[in-house]
Amino acid sequence: MAEAKYRAALQLRIARHGLTHIDTATVLDSIVRLYAAQGRWQEAETFCRYELAAYEKSAGKDHIETTKATLRMANVLTGLGRASEAEVLARQVVDRLTKEFGADNSNLTQPRHELCKALFQQEKFAELEPLLRQNIAAQEKSLAPNSANLVAGITMLSYAVLNQGRSQEALDLLNRLAEVHERSPLSPQSLENLLGTRAAALWMLGQKEAAVAELARSQDQTELLQTFSPGAERERAEMFLSRSTGYELAIDWQAQLKNIPQLFAAMERAKARTFLDELKLKNIDLLAGISPQDRQLLTQQEEKLRRELTAVETRFNELPELPPIAPAAEMQKRKDAAAEVLAARDALYQHFARLRSASPVYRELIQSKTGNVTLEQVQGRLGEGELLLSYSVGENQSYVVCVRKDSAQFHRLELDEATAKTLGARAGDLNDETLVTTLLDKTAGVLGMISNPKRKSEDASGKLAALWTALIPAAEKAQITSGEVKRLVIIPDGALALLPFETLVVENDTKPQYLLDVGPPIAYAPSAAVLLNLVDRPVVSATDLKLFTLGDPTYAPPVAADPLDRTLAAVRTIDRFRAGLSRLPFTAQESSWVRQHLEKIGFSTVRVTEAKATEAAIRQHAPGKQIIHFACHGMADQSYGNFFGSLAIAPGRAGDSRDDGFLSMAEIYDLDLTGCELAILSACETNYGPQQKGEGVWALSRGFLVAGSRRVVASNWVVDDRAGATLISLFAGHLALAGKDSTARDYATALHKAKKEVRKDERWQQPFYWSSLVLVGPK
């Protein structure tokens, strides 16, 4: 609520004095401090630049308040990781104050500390150490020897010393801080840094068990900090990502110790943390505990923001087509409309994030510790012939743990010379950068090749064969392709979350032979903990056979845009998608086929098509269904964690922001899918979105799992209308063969068989047609 009050005060100051008045600058300063404390560095930078300009204009460049604002800007830039820029500003302040007060003046303590932070971030440890010692000595003159105010400087010094090879000296410094903590408990962030650095010193001194224990304690503090971070799951995931180094270190250490159960546990601890939190929030009223007045106000604010967003999107989409050479006024009108859309999107998302920050229920639930699953627990759920491959993709090295019912091994993933050459990488450890380039490069990325029907299979087959070599250990290759492995479960990491493993090429002589051709059925999950959470959801009654299927929605007529009109570049892909939807003729047939297959085994069906395929119909009919099926357009959005990614359906009531024809991620979260065994998302990009290390993919499939579905079939890229409809029909047919008992259905095998049958058609032999749809969740 403090933010809202500061924002209101700022508007009053600007209205009364203007943006560059000194009174306005003081409010701007409060907002900058608030955002910095919350780690919202990009927003802090924007307001800090206004603050600095206001002080320079109203008080002058040499005024003390301008100097303070310059120092705050250095702090913000360090927070943004732009340490070289921060160093320049911090040096300016240090030099100015040294000339004015002398080098020993206490006024230089904070400026020197900001300079130290910038040098630290750039790993200029030799330059950093004397400056830190000077600052600590200056502080010790006015503080007690073990004052908590010395913690930040001494922690930084210990790290600088450690990185210059003086491990024992670093440990001695850290032990001094441990004594400070015993007298006066440190903040979670200070304690996190202390324990993490102490763990590194212990490891370098050969005290490895103690190091592992200390690093685990540091991670406890990281997770405590994550629960207090503001915003929604995306913001907490970003905070976690900024501290991923400690988690990678824990994985590397356990690999070096060859402790497979602890290695698996360390890998699990680094995965899908906010996803697990969201699963706990099912059917929880986030406004509980908020006063009726505030509850009503928040609800009204959200509805207002939704209406405003719908209105500006409508205005943008209704703009007339521009000629190749358009008047400047018309070009500007389109740009202004695009800016309105982006601003309205941002306002709605920020409201969503603030609501979660303010919700006592939300805070209480995410602060309840999420238990990590153990290797033993996972093995207890695996059947005979099942193999689980759990990956960890690191900045420097990567691992895979191969888990069977009665055994487990791990392997460090490395590239030999030939494999590295094929992938265009260096031989040695396979790392995150190599995988991102191999899979996502705009011109030569494997995913771009196999998701494009115009590209020949041979274009990507060499790299897919190299990935088969790099990602699957030799012993597992033989078992997977010989039929010894009956089912494969993939727990990906990093960019691997976007790769359908069925496309890996196991033989590449005359024609590529894919893993689909010779391997077992495959299921995917963002983490083992998420997978077991889904497995343990209550099973619906075997007699409660209900299907909801939606297909062939009636879309608004597409708005034509001239290909030479470059003003559309100001609007994201999602907005252009909303303005140009075309009819999908085979989705009606697909919906009908799914219904026919399942009604044969006793399912009762609600089917909506054309103008009736609305959001209102979904909210009315999807709850209580064992299987739900959507055949429509879909679109991922790379901003805000795919918050505005949508299933595109028929628009409902005019002016109703919740029935505008776009079922977004946030709206999917709100669906009640309790008891749903399967959600089939036969639409483009429903298992695609922003990829974030530690979380996987922010995809619409995630929304349906959070909403209650036990498993999802979703797409990694564009789905061909006819091939996709055929595949889903075959899939539904194989499911029907298992009969009425939902526990007897093998969803992974049914999808596997359907893909193989589609691949037999000469038109659809390329991976584009059969590999996009994957099963996320239990088999």
Side-chain angles (χ1 to χ4, degrees):
M1 294 302 176
E3 179 183 358
K5 292 180 179 178
Y6 283 139
R7 290 268 198 168
L10 178 62
Q11 293 302 318
L12 290 173
R13 293 288 174 91
I14 291 173
R16 181 174 297 178
H17 302 298
L19 188 58
T20 59
H21 194 276
I22 194 167
D23 288 346
T24 305
T26 59
V27 180
L28 287 165
D29 181 66
S30 298
I31 294 174
V32 172
R33 289 173 182 270
L34 175 66
Y35 286 160
Q38 295 177 345
R40 295 162 64 181
W41 299 111
Q42 289 184 333
E43 293 163 280
E45 181 188 10
T46 300
F47 285 90
C48 196
R49 292 202 181 281
Y50 285 129
E51 176 193 355
L52 190 54
Y55 276 127
E56 286 180 349
K57 180 81 179 288
S58 59
K61 291 188 176 182
D62 295 328
H63 194 276
I64 188 62
E65 293 301 334
T66 307
T67 301
K68 290 178 180 178
T70 303
L71 194 62
R72 274 188 283 283
M73 179 59 79
N75 175 52
V76 169
L77 291 171
T78 303
L80 286 166
R82 290 152 57 186
S84 59
E85 297 174 57
E87 180 185 349
V88 172
L89 295 181
R91 284 193 187 279
Q92 289 177 1
V93 174
V94 169
D95 291 344
R96 184 183 304 167
L97 295 181
T98 300
K99 289 178 183 177
E100 186 169 352
F101 299 110
D104 295 330
N105 193 280
S106 60
N107 287 317
L108 271 91
T109 301
Q110 187 58 35
R112 270 197 300 252
H113 183 69
E114 289 298 335
L115 177 56
C116 287
K117 284 164 57 181
L119 294 172
F120 178 85
Q121 201 172 86
Q122 298 174 81
E123 299 185 353
K124 297 180 178 180
F125 299 121
E127 184 180 357
L128 169 63
E129 183 180 347
L131 192 63
L132 273 171
R133 291 191 183 279
Q134 180 186 13
N135 220 33
I136 292 169
Q139 287 179 295
E140 287 177 330
K141 290 180 180 179
S142 58
L143 299 171
N146 288 323
S147 170
N149 291 325
L150 296 170
V151 168
I154 294 175
T155 302
M156 201 183 300
L157 177 60
S158 66
Y159 194 89
V161 168
L162 182 66
N163 277 271
Q164 295 176 79
R166 289 139 55 196
S167 306
Q168 187 58 56
E169 184 180 348
L171 189 59
D172 292 341
L173 286 166
L174 293 162
N175 288 339
R176 175 182 172 186
L177 293 182
E179 294 175 5
V180 174
H181 178 61
E182 288 178 4
R183 291 190 189 84
S184 177
L186 303 178
S187 69
Q189 185 168 353
S190 296
L191 190 55
E192 174 198 37
N193 293 334
L194 163 61
L195 295 170
T197 310
R198 193 166 187 273
L202 289 166
W203 183 269
M204 293 176 70
L205 289 167
Q207 301 177 40
K208 296 188 174 182
E209 288 187 9
V212 167
E214 206 75 338
L215 186 57
R217 292 175 61 201
S218 176
Q219 291 172 313
D220 288 340
Q221 298 304 310
T222 301
E223 286 157 19
L224 178 62
L225 282 166
Q226 190 186 31
T227 65
F228 292 125
S229 63
E233 54 183 325
R234 181 179 70 99
E235 287 74 25
R236 288 187 292 113
E238 288 177 348
M239 178 268 180
F240 185 84
L241 180 62
S242 70
R243 289 165 159 80
S244 64
T245 302
Y247 289 81
E248 289 189 20
L249 193 59
I251 291 166
D252 290 337
W253 286 358
Q254 294 297 349
Q256 291 183 49
L257 293 171
K258 295 181 171 55
N259 189 329
I260 298 176
Q262 290 304 315
L263 170 61
F264 184 83
M267 290 166 62
E268 274 293 301
R269 192 168 188 178
K271 289 181 179 176
R273 308 309 301 175
T274 67
F275 199 152
L276 288 166
D277 287 339
E278 290 300 313
L279 292 175
K280 292 187 292 189
L281 293 171
K282 180 65 192 147
N283 296 325
I284 298 297
D285 179 8
L286 294 182
L287 295 179
I290 296 177
S291 70
Q293 296 83 358
D294 287 342
R295 186 186 185 99
Q296 182 180 13
L297 178 62
L298 288 167
T299 302
Q300 291 172 345
Q301 286 176 342
E302 180 174 343
E303 185 53 39
K304 178 175 178 289
L305 290 169
R306 287 184 178 277
R307 287 198 305 270
E308 290 173 351
L309 175 57
T310 299
V312 296
E313 285 179 336
T314 301
R315 285 200 296 272
F316 177 80
N317 292 336
E318 289 177 349
L319 288 175
E321 177 183 351
L322 293 178
I325 301 176
E330 292 300 314
M331 296 279 284
Q332 188 60 48
K333 184 177 181 180
R334 184 173 286 253
K335 289 179 181 178
D336 290 344
E340 286 183 346
V341 171
L342 298 181
R345 290 273 178 86
D346 184 71
L348 179 58
Y349 179 80
Q350 295 303 336
H351 173 84
F352 174 84
R354 285 194 297 271
L355 170 61
R356 296 200 163 204
S357 291
S359 168
V361 175
Y362 182 76
R363 288 292 146 193
E364 182 179 349
L365 280 172
I366 66 174
Q367 286 172 30
S368 61
K369 193 171 180 62
T370 301
N372 296 316
V373 301
T374 66
L375 179 61
E376 184 179 9
Q377 287 173 319
V378 172
Q379 288 177 311
R381 301 301 184 92
L382 292 177
E384 294 296 334
E386 291 187 340
L387 172 64
L388 181 144
L389 300 180
S390 181
Y391 289 87
S392 169
V393 177
E395 184 177 346
N396 298 308
Q397 55 270 318
S398 303
Y399 302 93
V400 58
V401 177
C402 309
V403 185
R404 298 170 181 80
K405 186 176 182 64
D406 55 0
S407 65
Q409 293 84 34
F410 82 95
H411 302 270
R412 187 162 174 162
L413 300 179
E414 297 175 305
L415 304 177
D416 59 30
E417 291 289 348
T419 304
K421 184 178 180 180
T422 302
L423 295 177
R426 293 180 180 178
D429 284 302
L430 179 63
N431 59 28
D432 183 59
E433 182 181 1
T434 298
L435 274 174
V436 168
T437 302
T438 299
L439 296 174
L440 303 177
D441 183 79
K442 290 183 179 179
T443 56
V446 170
L447 294 179
M449 294 177 182
I450 61 177
S451 63
N452 183 349
K454 296 180 181 180
R455 298 292 293 267
K456 295 180 180 179
S457 300
E458 293 75 12
D459 292 346
S461 59
K463 289 189 175 183
L464 288 167
L467 286 170
W468 167 253
T469 300
L471 295 174
I472 312 295
E476 281 66 31
K477 283 188 181 76
Q479 294 176 359
I480 289 170
T481 56
S482 68
E484 185 176 340
V485 172
K486 306 300 182 185
R487 189 168 290 100
L488 189 58
V489 180
I490 303 294
I491 309 291
D493 192 28
L496 287 179
L498 299 170
L499 174 69
F501 274 57
E502 293 92 332
T503 63
L504 295 179
V505 172
V506 301
E507 292 287 347
N508 195 28
D509 294 331
T510 55
K511 286 187 176 181
Q513 185 181 61
Y514 297 99
L515 182 55
L516 175 76
D517 301 325
V518 296
I522 301 177
Y524 300 83
S527 74
V530 169
L531 183 62
L532 295 195
N533 183 294
L534 298 174
V535 169
D536 290 337
R537 283 182 168 172
V539 178
V540 297
S541 169
T543 60
D544 192 18
L545 302 177
K546 295 180 180 179
L547 165 71
F548 170 71
T549 176
L550 177 151
D552 191 24
T554 301
Y555 297 120
V559 178
D562 191 283
L564 297 178
D565 176 16
R566 301 184 184 278
T567 61
L568 277 177
V571 181
R572 293 173 297 198
T573 305
I574 187 76
D575 301 290
R576 300 196 290 276
F577 157 75
R578 287 165 176 260
L581 296 170
S582 58
R583 197 80 174 259
L584 296 171
F586 282 93
T587 59
Q589 185 66 62
E590 177 183 332
S591 174
S592 179
W593 284 336
V594 170
R595 178 183 66 181
Q596 289 171 18
H597 284 303
L598 295 177
E599 285 185 348
K600 287 177 182 177
I601 60 170
F603 271 78
S604 61
T605 305
V606 174
R607 179 172 181 259
V608 294
T609 60
E610 300 180 343
K612 295 181 179 180
T614 64
E615 289 180 78
I618 294 171
R619 293 190 181 93
Q620 178 183 356
H621 299 299
K625 302 300 187 292
Q626 195 182 97
I627 296 178
I628 59 175
H629 165 249
F630 298 88
C632 56
H633 278 296
M635 179 65 187
D637 184 19
Q638 293 296 319
S639 59
Y640 300 113
N642 205 15
F643 186 78
F644 294 103
S646 306
L647 289 177
I649 46 188
R653 292 170 295 179
D656 187 344
S657 63
R658 292 187 177 275
D659 203 10
D660 61 356
F662 297 99
L663 186 70
S664 67
M665 174 80 90
E667 292 170 323
I668 293 168
Y669 275 1
D670 288 338
L671 295 175
D672 182 7
L673 302 182
T674 303
C676 179
E677 285 294 319
L678 172 67
I680 305 173
L681 311 181
S682 184
C684 300
E685 299 185 341
T686 49
N687 197 48
Y688 177 78
Q691 180 268 320
Q692 186 167 358
K693 182 169 175 57
E695 280 299 316
V697 179
W698 299 93
L700 297 182
S701 56
R702 175 185 178 121
F704 281 89
L705 294 173
V706 169
S709 182
R710 191 190 302 276
R711 57 185 64 80
V712 172
V713 168
S715 61
N716 284 13
W717 51 74
V718 173
V719 176
D720 179 80
D721 191 14
R722 179 176 293 186
T726 303
L727 194 155
I728 293 299
S729 173
L730 291 167
F731 173 55
H734 286 298
L735 289 180
L737 292 176
K740 296 182 178 182
D741 185 359
S742 64
T743 61
R745 297 183 202 127
D746 189 329
Y747 299 87
T749 297
L751 185 60
H752 180 72
K753 289 179 177 179
K755 289 183 177 184
K756 294 184 76 170
E757 289 166 11
V758 166
R759 174 154 155 69
K760 289 178 182 177
D761 191 308
E762 289 185 359
R763 298 169 296 174
W764 301 329
Q765 291 183 355
Q766 291 179 239
F768 167 78
Y769 295 101
W770 49 262
S771 66
S772 176
L773 289 160
V774 296
L775 175 68
V776 182
K779 62 183 180 182

